[in-house]
Amino acid sequence: MTVLVIAEHDNKVLAPATLNTVAAAAKIGGDIHILVAGQGAGAVAEAAAKIAGVSKVLVADNAAYAHQLPENVAPLIAALGCKAGGAGYSHILAAATSNGKNILPRVAAQLDVDQISEIISVQSADTFKRPIYAGNAIATVQSSAAVKVITVRATGFDPVAAEGGSAAIEAVAAVHNPGTSSFVGEELATSDRPELTAARIVVSGGRGLQNGDNFKHLYTLADKLGAALGASRAAVDAGFVPNDMQVGQTGKIVAPQLYIAVGISGAIQHLAGMKDSKVIVAINKDEEAPIFQVADYGLVADLFDAVPELTARI
């Protein structure tokens, strides 16, 4: 039994979510291989080779994979899934990121198997747990597919060690470029604060902040704590902040050591994205707000009084 993990990266740095995905692969058992598809991604391959528990790193270095277009990468993965060791990989795993969700459904279709999405637990090599109904129920799914194609919710698995491994690095010469899509451009949001899904502390604001200018109170608090900034869907839909800050079922799933929810009522869609946080602190003037049902610490107060005072005391 051999598991193929698709590396999440930007051609320069291996994303932390890859370590969580390898942790899920380790629970499945067997050998673990990592595929690095990109261009000029040698540093990523070297980092992947050092991950504890990984036995081989496959590197597909070609211009066709430079931007990880799913139309190009999916055929590569599907081909590898059928050929490894002559028997094919038993499992193909990727983090449930935008890339993973974009690529793996195509892989499953090409292999003619079902996909299992966003697992949070491995029960056995063919049985997994995944959240449904915005996390209010957990489904146990058993698959009889020859190749199990799975996306992994990173917050469900503690990451393996990034050092200690010494995997062999092997080049993959295959190039897949059907020419059905092309890379036009990208706009990257830059911030001195930690990346939202990898931060140890997250401060999030909701509709209770009333407008985008009032998020300045959270910016100051986050800077003092070294925290990432998040927001509820209501705040994003109202135009207070950009959508890359959204935490929730249709946004980013986070599980930091500390999550501070300010002016967030706690709609079920938002709770689905942050309720696995280790410690949850809620500030809301409505004592009946659902957020208090999942909070470890709750403060019923006007955020415009509480947040500046909290910031001043840190």
Side-chain angles (χ1 to χ4, degrees):
M1 186 166 64
T2 308
V3 182
L4 179 65
V5 172
I6 313 306
E8 180 82 14
H9 65 92
D10 61 358
N11 289 318
K12 299 175 182 177
V13 179
L14 188 69
T18 306
L19 302 179
N20 303 81
T21 309
V22 172
K27 290 184 178 295
I28 293 171
D31 291 336
I32 301 173
H33 295 180
I34 292 183
L35 171 65
V36 177
Q39 184 179 31
V44 176
E46 291 176 7
K50 295 177 183 177
I51 298 175
V54 175
S55 60
K56 183 185 289 186
V57 175
L58 304 176
V59 182
D61 196 309
N62 190 278
Y65 307 129
H67 303 288
Q68 298 177 59
L69 297 176
E71 293 81 3
N72 297 359
V73 177
L76 169 67
I77 298 171
L80 290 172
C82 296
K83 293 179 180 178
Y89 284 103
S90 58
H91 301 72
I92 298 175
L93 273 60
T97 59
S98 296
N99 273 342
K101 292 177 181 179
N102 208 3
I103 294 171
L104 254 58
R106 291 172 164 86
V107 173
Q110 292 180 32
L111 293 175
D112 195 24
V113 297
D114 54 328
Q115 179 192 292
I116 303 173
S117 300
E118 300 203 37
I119 66 166
I120 58 171
S121 175
V122 175
Q123 302 300 106
S124 68
D126 66 355
T127 306
F128 314 91
K129 288 189 174 183
R130 60 179 298 268
I132 58 175
Y133 300 125
N136 284 287
I138 304 299
T140 300
V141 181
Q142 186 174 38
S143 172
S144 60
V147 182
K148 294 161 183 62
V149 179
I150 302 167
T151 58
V152 176
R153 182 172 288 192
T155 57
F157 298 88
D158 292 330
V160 298
E163 299 288 339
S166 56
I169 298 178
E170 179 180 307
V172 176
V175 178
H176 297 267
N177 187 357
T180 55
S181 65
S182 60
F183 179 78
V184 176
E186 63 184 355
E187 293 181 12
L188 299 177
T190 58
S191 174
D192 293 332
R193 300 186 181 92
E195 202 277 321
L196 186 56
T197 56
R200 291 176 55 83
I201 303 174
V202 173
V203 177
S204 279
R207 186 159 30 201
L209 281 136
Q210 301 176 2
N211 58 59
D213 290 340
N214 287 332
F215 264 77
K216 64 187 178 185
H217 298 296
L218 302 193
Y219 296 151
T220 305
L221 175 60
D223 289 342
K224 278 200 169 186
L225 292 172
L229 250 299
S232 68
R233 178 172 179 171
V236 171
D237 287 350
F240 296 172
V241 291
N243 59 12
D244 61 351
M245 289 174 59
Q246 183 178 326
V247 172
Q249 184 181 16
T250 55
K252 295 180 178 177
I253 308 295
V254 301
Q257 295 295 314
L258 173 62
Y259 187 88
I260 303 176
V262 181
I264 295 175
S265 63
I268 190 171
Q269 293 86 353
H270 185 76
L271 299 184
M274 46 66 72
K275 65 182 181 181
D276 289 331
S277 304
K278 304 301 183 288
V279 177
I280 299 172
V281 175
I283 302 174
N284 200 298
K285 65 181 180 182
D286 178 10
E287 62 182 17
E288 301 296 328
I291 191 71
F292 289 123
Q293 296 177 13
V294 299
D296 297 284
Y297 301 94
L299 176 61
V300 179
D302 187 322
L303 68 89
F304 296 107
D305 295 328
V307 173
E309 184 176 353
L310 174 61
T311 303
R313 289 175 178 267
I314 294 174

